[in-house]
Amino acid sequence: QVQLVESGGGLVQAGGSLRLSCAASGRTFSTLAMGWSRQAPGKEREFVASINRIGSITYYADSVKGRFSISRDNAKNTVYLQLNSLKSDDTAVYRCAASFRVGIPYRVDEYDYWGQGTQVTVSS
């Protein structure tokens, strides 16, 4: 079992920044690929970013490329998502996810564990 707890969400003005954190426990963190997805009301879940086990490879959805940055600290069992240049379209619940797969999984169905989520609201 893997437990994931997100933090760092909140209300921010358009153009602003937030840093989301996800603390993992229950399994050696460095054996897990990690990622972030988001879901806005009435929309499908979108996978926005992922990172491989050692942090050497990252993936970003086109909608966030150049604005969001994913990173991880294996010593702290934590993955981060830096959100910059936020837009109202970025408003969603952001959920952290963990995968046993090798490489850089980037689809929702490739992930095995999910956190509860943290709300990000961008006001225009």
Side-chain angles (χ1 to χ4, degrees), residues 50-115:
S50 52
I51 189 166
N52 70 338
R53 295 176 175 183
I54 61 173
S56 60
I57 304 172
T58 56
Y59 160 84
Y60 298 97
D62 288 343
S63 57
V64 306
K65 201 171 293 183
R67 300 188 299 120
F68 291 8
S69 178
I70 188 170
S71 61
R72 65 189 295 161
D73 186 337
N74 285 356
K76 295 183 177 180
N77 293 350
T78 302
V79 63
Y80 305 96
L81 187 66
Q82 179 69 39
L83 290 63
N84 296 327
S85 302
L86 283 162
K87 309 173 183 178
S88 57
D89 286 349
D90 295 319
T91 295
V93 174
Y94 285 72
R95 297 179 71 184
C96 170
S99 172
F100 296 122
R101 292 174 184 261
V102 175
I104 191 72
Y106 60 90
R107 296 196 312 264
V108 169
D109 62 358
E110 293 181 301
Y111 282 79
D112 303 288
Y113 295 97
W114 294 86

Side-chain angles (χ1 to χ4, degrees), residues 13-72:
Q13 288 188 333
S17 298
L18 282 174
R19 189 194 196 199
L20 307 183
S21 299
C22 172
S25 61
R27 185 179 173 94
T28 303
F29 186 66
S30 61
T31 66
L32 299 167
M34 300 297 295
W36 291 88
S37 72
R38 67 184 182 184
Q39 188 166 20
K43 294 186 179 180
E44 290 189 0
R45 189 185 302 181
E46 175 188 22
F47 213 89
V48 296
S50 52
I51 189 166
N52 70 338
R53 295 176 175 183
I54 61 173
S56 60
I57 304 172
T58 56
Y59 160 84
Y60 298 97
D62 288 343
S63 57
V64 306
K65 201 171 293 183
R67 300 188 299 120
F68 291 8
S69 178
I70 188 170
S71 61
R72 65 189 295 161

